[in-house]
């Protein structure tokens, strides 16, 4: 919805290549179409999803850029001559978003699950549309320009991201504890960035240097090889289980990798892959 015609064609071509069209319904309300047609595209897709859920009792994954829904609604409101509210949005956008989101729900036998992209205007997370949409989300994955500029992909900001499922009753005590320690370490490193920029890491105390060292290794360990980028990088993607990820995070937090090169943890899968990379680098260095 609200995207370029070229992008819609590329999506269709790629889905044909992966042979998933037989399980897919595509609803297009592209940039060149009137705002009313774009605004209805999300509602049409949701109605189709409800049919598969309620009539066929199938689980549905619904994906869209929901911010374009708000944008199209603002254009429709402007054409109707309504006075805009804050930042130029339509006065009814909160109720429109709520009416859309409440239909994305589970029933006894099936569910509609939505993954919604949200464009953040001018990187302002206090924008009314962003805050209104976020209030309906169970989980938020924040993409960071700073992470991308450092070559960390996926460029997810772990401190800004959140999930209601990060609960010991859901994920278990071990997962909850490790996640908390990881966030604490990353937050501690983030608070020290101004000091590091002015004085350097060497001027930090011993405890702070450990925090920075382990946070840097965690950031590199979180970098992941994607299957969809194999055609561009020539490197195959890697899947890592949750158990292996937790094992790697615990090892980094407990200092097992303090003597490793940071590059050994960059763009690898499990901790064992990083260990083999470190051993290979050490062997090559000794041989030279």
């Amino acid at each position: 919805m609200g995207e370029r015609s070229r992008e819609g064609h590329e999506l269709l071509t790629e889905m044909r290549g992966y042979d998933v069209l037989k399980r897919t319904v595509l609803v297009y309300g592209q940039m060149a179409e009137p705002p009313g047609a774009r605004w209805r595209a999300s509602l049409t897709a949701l109605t189709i999803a409800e049919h598969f859920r309620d009539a066929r009792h199938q689980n549905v994954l619904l994906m869209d850029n929901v911010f374009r829904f708000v944008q199209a609604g603002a254009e429709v409101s402007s054409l109707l001559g309504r006075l805009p509210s804050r930042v130029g949005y339509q006065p009814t956008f909160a109720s429109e978003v709520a009416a859309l989101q409440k239909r994305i729900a589970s029933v006894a036998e099936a569910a509609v699950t939505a993954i919604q992209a949200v464009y953040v205007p001018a990187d302002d997370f206090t924008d009314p549309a962003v805050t209104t949409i976020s209030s309906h989300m169970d989980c938020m994955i924040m993409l960071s320009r700073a992470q991308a500029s450092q070559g960390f992909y996926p460029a997810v900001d772990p401190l800004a991201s959140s999930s209601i499922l990060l609960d010991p009753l859901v994920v278990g005590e071990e997962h909850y504890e490790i996640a908390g320690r990881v966030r604490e370490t990353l937050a501690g490193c983030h608070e020290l960035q101004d000091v590091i920029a002015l004085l350097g890491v060497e001027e930090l105390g011993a405890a702070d240097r450990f925090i920075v060292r382990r946070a840097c290794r965690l950031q590199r360990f979180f970098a992941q090889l994607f299957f969809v980028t194999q055609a561009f990088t020539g490197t195959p993607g890697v899947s890592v289980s949750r158990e292996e990820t937790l094992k790697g995070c615990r090892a980094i937090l407990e200092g097992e990798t303090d003597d490793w090169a940071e590059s050994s943890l960059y763009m690898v899968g499990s901790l064992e892959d990083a260990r083999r990379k470190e051993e290979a680098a050490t062997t090559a260095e000794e041989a030279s």
Side-chain angles (χ1 to χ4, degrees), residues 143-177:
L143 300 181
S144 165
R145 297 183 196 274
Q147 294 284 98
S149 67
Q150 297 178 67
F152 298 142
Y153 296 100
V156 175
D157 185 344
L159 296 177
S161 302
S162 62
S163 173
I164 63 170
L165 294 179
L166 188 57
D167 185 292
L169 297 176
V170 179
V171 300
E173 291 289 347
E174 181 189 24
H175 187 160
Y176 183 76
E177 181 233 339

Side-chain angles (χ1 to χ4, degrees), residues 13-280:
T13 303
E14 187 170 344
M15 295 186 80
R16 280 175 177 161
Y18 283 102
D19 193 31
V20 296
L21 280 179
K22 59 189 176 185
R23 302 189 303 276
T24 306
V25 176
L26 298 176
V27 179
Y28 285 93
Q30 297 180 164
M31 187 181 288
E33 298 187 29
R38 284 185 275 121
W39 189 77
R40 296 294 300 179
S42 287
L43 301 175
T44 302
L46 187 52
T47 301
I48 295 171
E50 288 173 330
H51 167 75
F52 282 105
R53 181 194 65 188
D54 300 335
R56 299 195 181 186
H57 308 294
Q58 293 177 313
N59 293 318
V60 183
L61 178 62
L62 182 70
M63 303 179 69
D64 203 353
N65 186 338
V66 72
F67 184 80
R68 304 297 184 191
F69 173 78
V70 176
Q71 277 188 318
E75 293 178 43
V76 171
S77 180
S78 177
L79 291 172
L80 292 174
R82 297 172 182 163
L83 289 175
S85 63
R86 287 191 303 155
V87 202
Y89 293 113
Q90 64 272 38
T92 56
F93 87 93
S95 58
E96 290 172 1
V97 170
L100 178 77
Q101 300 287 359
K102 73 178 183 180
R103 293 172 61 187
I104 303 171
S106 303
V107 295
E109 299 178 347
V112 175
T113 301
I115 298 178
Q116 303 175 11
V118 182
Y119 169 72
V120 182
D123 289 346
D124 180 13
F125 286 91
T126 64
D127 184 270
V130 177
T131 55
T132 300
I133 294 169
S134 300
S135 66
H136 295 278
M137 299 292 105
D138 294 328
C139 169
M140 290 189 292
I141 300 175
M142 297 289 189
L143 300 181
S144 165
R145 297 183 196 274
Q147 294 284 98
S149 67
Q150 297 178 67
F152 298 142
Y153 296 100
V156 175
D157 185 344
L159 296 177
S161 302
S162 62
S163 173
I164 63 170
L165 294 179
L166 188 57
D167 185 292
L169 297 176
V170 179
V171 300
E173 291 289 347
E174 181 189 24
H175 187 160
Y176 183 76
E177 181 233 339
I178 293 175
R181 290 177 61 191
V182 166
R183 292 172 68 91
E184 183 181 354
T185 301
L186 294 175
C189 179
H190 181 73
E191 291 173 358
L192 294 168
Q193 287 306 306
D194 289 342
V195 178
I196 294 171
L198 289 172
L199 303 176
V201 179
E202 296 77 14
E203 298 301 319
L204 297 175
D208 288 340
R209 285 200 299 271
F210 276 120
I211 290 174
V212 173
R213 184 181 301 134
R214 290 168 187 175
C216 290
R217 283 162 174 74
L218 283 168
Q219 286 179 318
R220 282 154 181 76
F221 183 62
F222 290 155
Q224 185 72 37
L225 292 165
F226 280 73
F227 290 96
V228 293
T229 60
Q230 183 173 346
F232 308 103
T233 64
T235 306
V238 178
S239 287
V240 184
S241 67
R242 185 176 69 165
E243 290 73 19
E244 286 294 329
T245 302
L246 293 174
K247 179 181 176 183
C249 290
R250 182 179 287 280
I252 294 170
L253 290 168
E254 293 179 350
E256 186 177 324
T257 64
D258 283 356
D259 296 329
W260 296 10
E262 291 181 3
S263 58
S264 297
L265 292 154
Y266 181 65
M267 287 296 179
V268 296
S270 65
L271 185 69
E272 294 304 315
D273 295 335
R275 193 188 306 279
R276 286 191 289 269
K277 188 175 179 180
E278 171 68 15
E279 291 173 352

